[in-house]
């Protein structure tokens, strides 16, 4: 499930910080004006660098959450989406197997936590050992086989949505606030369409209750009505598929959706799509955005004929998450390969409302970061009310050491100008960088979702050693 893709060599700028026992390489720059050059040394730490978990300021773990700032549940698999309810509860949507040999494989797993990090025992499946309370989570088998959950959402009524795919189908599940299936949605709480595998990567709920779901092939979006039926007023029969590539020979893959209202159409919910494209099959990928009108047609006022494509270093880039900031600019975060030493690094770009690179951000609208001169992957993005973007994913060290290998939960905050924010984190891993080593669960940790609470605290949901992991950080 946790795969990354990228491709091959170029030049880069760098600055080296020596920290206690390790060398950390931090690069924040853009592809603008870069020229290809010779090889450079690819030094890596020889011991696992310390994480920033002991930090008590902005970016530090919030110890009012489960006593240590995070919880790792004993279920299998992980969290793909995390949100908060108006009463302070925390909803986590993901996938899991009831038992290691479950006959239905992985199912939809929905959990509700109290604000203190404990499971909410008024939610979910009944506790068979104590019938007066519930377990705090629900397993839902959508098919007889495995389900792959990619995204989740909450609507204004507190109903919970999950989207994903199983063989030959996409599906959307709607649950009531107590974690039970909503029978008013498609009759049994589950709506499905017969599409190719790999869908349901992103889900957003429109203000009118309609539900947008995106996936592949290319940039494919379908829309459901609030009762779970297909909305035939959207695209052709409720679905659109576009190739976002700059070339007719290229391909694309959608990863994220966001809603945006523009100055030109303040009452219309337009659909921003983020993912990757390339110019030829199996070619080098680049950041790729499109915007659709509310009826599914391409919004030609966006970018160039509805598309906005950009590359960092020409080595392979992917948008994994998009968000709209308080100034209605589009922020896109994902993977940007900086040099030949690594396959994946952190990348972020900001675009104007209508799809032009925002040159007031980073260098030419983009910024990239290589942490520990090893693999770094971004899957999640949130933008604070003050416009500062935070990206989440993982950072790897000691990949060839089976005992000491580490994958840190990793957050990076940028200021509104695209610089690493030195007020976030202790600075020991570089300005703006927070890394968390989840005790006993360190060898495979990934953040897949970020959400900022109304009090500014930052929730990070993901997986750690194939178990659901949820952390909360100070703002």
């Amino acid at each position: 499930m946790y795969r990354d893709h990228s491709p091959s060599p170029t030049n880069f700028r760098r600055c080296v910080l020596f920290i206690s026992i390790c060398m950390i390489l931090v690069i924040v720059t853009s592809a603008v004006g870069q020229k290809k050059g010779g090889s450079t040394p690819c030094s890596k730490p020889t011991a696992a660098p310390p994480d920033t978990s002991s930090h008590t300021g902005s970016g530090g773990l919030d110890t009012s959450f489960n006593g240590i700032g995070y919880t790792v549940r004993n279920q299998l698999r992980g969290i793909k989406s995390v949100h908060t309810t108006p009463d302070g509860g925390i909803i986590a949507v993901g996938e899991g197997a009831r038992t290691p040999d479950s006959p239905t494989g992985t199912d939809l797993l929905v959990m509700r936590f109290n604000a203190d990090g404990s499971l909410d025992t008024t939610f979910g499946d009944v506790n068979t050992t104590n019938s007066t309370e519930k377990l705090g989570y629900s397993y839902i088998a959508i098919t007889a086989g495995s389900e792959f959950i990619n995204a989740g959402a909450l609507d204004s009524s507190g109903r919970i949505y999950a989207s994903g795919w199983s063989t030959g189908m996409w599906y959307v599940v709607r649950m009531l606030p107590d974690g039970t299936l909503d029978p008013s949605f498609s009759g049994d709480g589950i709506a499905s369409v017969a599409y190719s595998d790999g869908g349901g990567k992103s889900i957003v709920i429109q203000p009118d209750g309609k539900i947008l779901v995106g996936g592949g092939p290319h940039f494919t979006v379908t829309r459901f009505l609030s009762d779970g039926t297909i909305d035939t007023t959207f695209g052709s029969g409720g679905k659109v598929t576009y190739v976002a590539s700059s070339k007719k020979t290229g391909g694309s893959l959608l990863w994220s959706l966001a809603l945006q209202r523009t100055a030109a159409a303040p009452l219309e919910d337009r659909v921003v799509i983020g993912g990757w494209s390339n110019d030829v099959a199996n070619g080098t990928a680049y950041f790729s955005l499109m915007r659709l009108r509310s009826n599914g047609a391409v919004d030609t006022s966006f970018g160039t004929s509805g598309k906005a494509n950009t590359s960092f270093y020409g080595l392979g880039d992917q948008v994994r998450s998009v968000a709209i900031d308080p100034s209605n600019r589009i922020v896109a975060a994902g993977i940007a390969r900086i040099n030949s030493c690594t396959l994946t690094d952190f990348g972020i770009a900001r675009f104007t409302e209508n799809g032009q690179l925002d040159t007031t951000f980073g260098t030419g609208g983009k910024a990239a970061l290589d942490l520990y001169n090893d693999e770094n992957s971004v899957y999640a993005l949130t933008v604070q009310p003050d416009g500062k973007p935070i990206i989440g994913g993982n950072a790897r060290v000691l990949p060839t050491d089976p005992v000491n290998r580490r994958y840190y939960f990793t957050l990076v905050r940028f200021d509104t100008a695209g610089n690493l924010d030195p007020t976030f984190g202790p600075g020991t891993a570089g300005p703006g960088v927070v890394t968390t080593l989840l005790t006993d669960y360190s060898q495979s940790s990934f953040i897949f979702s970020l959400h900022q609470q109304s009090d500014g605290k930052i929730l990070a949901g993901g997986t750690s050693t194939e178990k659901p992991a949820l952390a909360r950080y100070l703002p």
Side-chain angles (χ1 to χ4, degrees), residues 10 33 41 73 78 124 126 154 157 171 191 194 208 254 281 332 413-414 416 420 469:
T10 278
R73 300 297 309 166
V126 173
L154 264 62
S157 299
Y171 53 78
D208 61 4
L254 178 153
R413 189 166 78 185
F414 296 84
T416 56
L420 289 169

Side-chain angles (χ1 to χ4, degrees), residues 137-370:
Y137 57 85
S138 294
Y139 284 104
I140 298 173
I142 300 167
T143 69
S146 287
E147 282 82 54
F148 300 94
I149 311 300
N150 291 318
L154 264 62
D155 68 15
S156 59
S157 299
R159 293 175 298 195
I160 305 160
Y161 296 77
S163 65
W165 65 278
S166 192
T167 304
M169 62 177 280
W170 296 16
Y171 53 78
V172 176
V173 179
R174 189 167 78 194
M175 291 149 281
L176 298 172
D178 66 357
T180 58
L181 287 168
D182 181 358
S184 70
F185 185 75
S186 195
D188 60 358
I190 302 171
S192 62
V193 287
Y195 291 168
S196 61
D197 297 353
K201 291 184 183 297
S202 185
I203 183 171
V204 294
I205 314 302
Q206 296 183 180
D208 61 4
K210 294 179 180 179
I211 305 139
L212 289 160
V213 181
H218 305 299
F219 279 15
T220 296
V221 182
T222 193
R223 190 164 70 191
F224 296 84
L225 297 173
S226 60
D227 64 1
T229 58
I230 291 291
D231 180 3
T232 56
T233 68
F234 183 81
S236 176
K239 176 177 123 175
V240 296
T241 298
Y242 297 108
V243 177
S245 171
S246 304
K247 306 287 185 181
K248 293 182 179 179
T249 54
S252 310
L253 183 63
L254 178 153
W255 276 102
S256 185
L257 300 173
L259 295 177
Q260 182 188 38
R261 294 192 173 186
T262 65
L267 300 180
E268 180 185 0
D269 290 306
R270 301 194 177 186
V271 186
V272 176
I273 306 172
W276 61 262
S277 294
N278 55 25
D279 290 343
V280 295
N282 301 315
T284 302
Y286 43 81
F287 266 35
S288 196
L289 302 179
M290 289 188 72
R291 192 168 70 194
L292 308 182
R293 300 289 304 272
S294 60
N295 63 0
V298 174
D299 179 1
T300 55
S301 69
F302 180 79
T304 302
S305 301
K307 304 175 183 179
N309 295 321
T310 191
S311 176
F312 284 73
Y313 295 89
L315 297 173
D317 314 312
Q318 298 182 30
V319 172
R320 289 299 185 94
S321 186
V322 292
I324 310 303
D325 79 1
S327 299
N328 212 32
R329 297 169 297 201
I330 301 162
V331 183
I335 294 167
R337 189 181 183 193
I338 291 176
N339 57 62
S340 58
C341 299
T342 62
L343 292 176
T344 55
D345 300 301
F346 298 137
I348 186 169
R350 193 170 72 194
F351 297 80
T352 64
E353 176 184 284
N354 286 319
Q356 308 300 321
L357 278 169
D358 179 2
T359 56
T360 67
F361 184 85
T363 303
K366 294 173 281 190
L369 169 68
D370 180 6

Side-chain angles (χ1 to χ4, degrees), residues 59-81:
L61 285 168
D62 175 14
T63 54
S64 71
F65 185 80
N66 197 40
I68 55 174
Y70 64 86
T71 180
V72 180
R73 300 297 309 166
N74 201 31
Q75 286 98 343
L76 300 173
R77 301 310 289 266
I79 295 169
K80 296 298 184 67
S81 178

Side-chain angles (χ1 to χ4, degrees), residues 65 71 78-85 88-94 109-114 149-154 160-161 203 380-382 409 447-453 457-462 469-472:
F65 185 80
T71 180
I79 295 169
K80 296 298 184 67
S81 178
V82 61
H83 298 272
T84 50
T85 61
I90 301 166
I91 299 293
V93 174
L109 172 62
V110 183
M111 296 175 280
R112 179 179 164 112
F113 296 87
N114 296 309
I149 311 300
N150 291 318
L154 264 62
I160 305 160
Y161 296 77
I203 183 171
L381 165 70
T382 188
F409 252 38
I447 292 173
F448 289 127
S449 179
L450 292 175
H451 176 78
Q452 192 158 30
Q453 298 183 167
K457 293 179 180 180
I458 304 148
L459 289 166
L470 181 64
R472 191 165 70 197

